[in-house]
Amino acid sequence: MDLHKITLVADWLQASESTVILTGAGMSTESGIPDFRSREGWWKKINPMTVSTVDALENEYELFHGFYSLRLTDLKTYHPHKGHHFLAEWENQGFVKGIVTQNVDGFHQEAGNKSVHELHGSLRSIFCSDCGQASDEGAFLNQDTCSECGGHHLRPDIILFGEILPQEVWGKAIRLIEESDLLIVIGSSLQVSPANELPFLTNGKKVIINNEATLLSEQFDLQLEGKAGDILEAIDEKRKGGEIHDDIENTKRRT
Ligand code: APR
Ligand code: ZN
């Protein structure tokens, strides 16, 4: 872990008036939830066009339902990890203005963040795709029909490929980022637009924390490669003025 970069980010966070965090699926892999484009990612096993489109919802409902009910059931087993809790603590202490997330797992709210903008919706809210009537997880998992219209297509309120993005959420996210003086991207390949354009709306400093370099990483002021949880922990320890517990650091202290 690059201690100099950790110290820089901790200083920028401490000095910032308005830090905004933009997260992707890499923020939840340490909770046990696969991301999409890494070696173990969902899209390495399943062609997204067969499950994550309106066509799949309407014409391949069994496939659609199987994919999303598996992901929804996972949320009963997996929960936010230490990285989510640091972000909640930073918002609580006034260091972070808000979270803009591409994730649909609700982990930021579960960890305690209040200002969360879900660009791609949420697995946790269910509605009838035939009449729009709100429904619930149990009815979706049981493949019940809609209580209002008897329709057979209950679905999670997430944005499928090709669907319109939730304009109100996007408007708020854009304003938040435009007003930020520090934007930290965590765990995203930045391959999906328009989310991958958001980091460049800030007039402030841009940091990316990711397991691997992305095609856009060079455009950031700072790139930290590694696991989100460990890096956020190290930034938090530095921010609090503590020593960073890192192998290199401990070796130095022992000699
Ligand atoms: N710590 C840091 N980075 C990680 C970790 C981790 N523990 N685990 C994975 N990553 C990185 C991966 O290396 C990858 O670059 O997170 C990134 C995740 O990228 P994607 O899988 O493409 O996920 P994301 O960028 O969120 O995808 C955007 O695509 O399919 C759609 O709707 C879906 O919201 C999703 C969107
Ligand atoms: Zn209905």
Side-chain angles (χ1 to χ4, degrees):
M1 201 179 295
D2 184 321
L3 307 187
H4 170 64
K5 288 185 176 180
I6 295 285
T7 305
L8 260 183
V9 178
D11 292 347
W12 290 355
L13 182 66
Q14 197 80 17
S16 159
E17 299 286 315
S18 170
T19 296
V20 175
I21 310 282
L22 170 63
T23 59
M27 182 70 215
S28 296
T29 54
E30 291 163 67
S31 295
I33 303 276
D35 64 12
F36 294 97
R37 296 175 182 82
S38 288
R39 223 184 8 264
E40 303 301 313
W42 280 116
W43 301 153
K44 290 289 188 278
K45 301 171 192 131
I46 304 171
N47 170 0
M49 295 305 130
T50 60
V51 288
S52 203
T53 60
V54 174
D55 180 55
L57 167 65
E58 289 170 354
N59 305 308
E60 297 289 346
Y61 190 72
E62 283 308 312
L63 264 181
F64 174 91
H65 181 270
F67 179 60
Y68 285 106
S69 48
L70 174 67
R71 290 180 63 194
L72 186 54
T73 312
D74 275 354
L75 301 187
K76 301 190 188 319
T77 313
Y78 303 114
H79 297 283
H81 60 79
K82 62 183 176 183
H84 292 99
H85 291 289
F86 285 123
L87 296 181
E89 194 187 319
W90 293 357
E91 180 188 358
N92 201 16
Q93 292 178 1
F95 289 103
V96 162
K97 266 277 185 300
I99 308 274
V100 175
T101 187
Q102 300 172 84
N103 300 339
V104 294
D105 53 35
F107 281 177
H108 289 302
Q109 295 93 322
E110 192 179 326
N113 279 104
K114 304 277 184 300
S115 165
V116 181
H117 305 274
E118 294 173 309
L119 302 175
H120 296 162
S122 171
L123 274 173
R124 296 175 190 247
S125 122
I126 305 292
F127 70 95
C128 168
S129 60
D130 298 327
C131 72
Q133 169 74 17
S135 186
D136 61 66
E137 285 182 20
F140 174 68
L141 293 173
N142 292 337
Q143 278 194 273
D144 293 351
T145 54
C146 168
S147 56
E148 185 69 21
C149 74
H152 293 269
H153 292 106
L154 297 182
R155 59 168 286 183
D157 188 8
I158 54 136
I159 309 301
L160 300 172
F161 282 105
E163 281 192 310
I164 309 277
L165 298 164
Q167 293 311 300
E168 197 191 326
V169 171
W170 274 78
K172 280 190 190 152
I174 287 170
R175 269 192 304 285
L176 204 63
I177 293 175
E178 284 174 341
E179 290 159 9
S180 68
D181 57 20
L182 177 60
L183 189 277
I184 305 176
V185 171
I186 307 174
S188 180
S189 64
L190 295 175
Q191 287 186 35
V192 170
S193 74
N196 61 0
E197 296 158 26
L198 290 178
F200 308 100
L201 298 180
T202 182
N203 297 312
K205 291 192 179 61
K206 294 185 287 296
V207 176
I208 182 165
I209 298 171
N210 208 55
N211 247 354
E212 57 195 334
T214 72
L215 293 175
L216 301 176
S217 293
E218 285 306 309
Q219 297 180 47
F220 284 74
D221 299 290
L222 214 52
Q223 306 93 15
L224 288 85
E225 277 193 30
K227 291 174 70 174
D230 293 343
I231 290 178
L232 290 171
E233 184 170 41
I235 293 169
D236 192 61
E237 280 179 18
K238 200 65 193 167
R239 189 184 62 76
K240 288 173 182 161
E243 276 307 301
I244 298 176
H245 301 296
D246 183 273
D247 297 348
I248 309 162
E249 193 65 15
N250 292 336
T251 312
K252 254 193 261 166
R253 256 207 294 279
R254 268 197 294 275
T255 48

